[in-house]
Amino acid sequence: MCTLCANELPIIPIKSYNTNFITQVFYGRIHLEKGASFLYFNKKNITQKLLHQLKYKGRTDIGTVLGTWYAERINSSSFMNDIDCIIPVPIHPKKLKKRGYNQVLSFCESISEKFGAAIHQDILIRSTNTNSQTSKTRFERAETIRKDFMLLDKNLLKNKHVLLVDDVITTGATIEACCKELLKTENLKISVLSIAFTENT
């Protein structure tokens, strides 16, 4: 990434990871220990262009660069101190086969490498193959995604604190659905991280 583009990145400043506008999205829906996001996402801004390349053009190196950058950014904070493992929000096997990769995995790998938290990418699966949610309302997204995910092992994460990672948080419907399935595990704590966050919900 050139210096000019790097300087244009709309980085989100977060003073408190326990209570902020990201955790507020999920208030009354699910309990989060912490919430964070790296970049603001708006239509046609540089974040959208980067994530489009990451998601659809095979540019997993973008996830690696952003993950490494974000890991350095939070290194002096307490955000990762008590995180036991990282779970990338899964994509359906058909999409995975077609695309060849989960677009958030390289971002997760950079975070994992920096802080030593294991990645569990096969414990939570996407059981239905839904179409793009970008044009749907908050209610429509929630209804579509509500039963999309399945937890394969209710014991592996027992008494753990997991970091659930997605590419973009919009309405929060995907994160909410994942969390509700993960919370079938006894005494599980969940924090959330996304590469980007959009206020256009």
Side-chain angles (χ1 to χ4, degrees), residues 1 13 22 34 42 44 47 51 58 82 87 90 104 110 113 116 122-123 126 131 144 158 171 197-198 200:
M1 188 184 303
I22 295 165
K34 308 172 190 177
N42 293 298
K44 298 183 179 180
T47 304
L51 292 187
D82 55 349
I87 298 179
V104 298
S110 292
E113 183 178 347
D122 298 320
I123 191 171
R126 191 153 197 165
N131 295 323
T144 301
K158 185 178 178 180
T171 65
F197 175 88
T198 176
N200 300 326

Side-chain angles (χ1 to χ4, degrees), residues 18 33-34 78-85 117 159-163 189 191:
N18 301 99
E33 301 296 321
K34 308 172 190 177
S78 61
F79 183 72
M80 291 294 295
N81 283 4
D82 55 349
I83 299 294
D84 296 301
C85 59
N159 301 319
K160 301 291 187 182
H161 185 174
V162 305
L163 179 64
K189 295 180 180 180
S191 291

Side-chain angles (χ1 to χ4, degrees), residues 3 18 26 30 80 102 118 126 134 163 176 180 187 197:
T3 303
N18 301 99
F26 302 96
I30 51 172
M80 291 294 295
N102 181 332
R126 191 153 197 165
T134 55
L163 179 64
E176 181 181 1
K180 286 182 176 179
N187 195 31
F197 175 88

Side-chain angles (χ1 to χ4, degrees), residues 51 54-58 60 87-106 108 119-133 145 147-150 152 164-168 174-175 178 195:
L51 292 187
L54 170 61
K55 190 170 183 178
Y56 300 111
K57 302 297 182 181
T60 57
I87 298 179
V89 168
I91 62 176
H92 191 269
K94 287 185 178 179
K95 284 186 178 178
L96 183 60
K97 184 176 180 181
K98 181 179 179 181
R99 188 178 298 161
Y101 60 96
N102 181 332
Q103 69 271 15
V104 298
L105 182 57
S106 59
C108 291
I119 297 176
H120 293 306
Q121 58 176 317
D122 298 320
I123 191 171
L124 183 69
I125 63 170
R126 191 153 197 165
S127 54
T128 56
N129 190 12
T130 55
N131 295 323
S132 175
Q133 304 294 303
I145 297 172
K147 296 182 179 180
D148 273 5
F149 301 94
M150 182 183 299
L152 298 183
L164 183 64
V165 182
D166 204 0
D167 52 359
V168 183
T174 300
I175 292 289
C178 287
I195 301 175

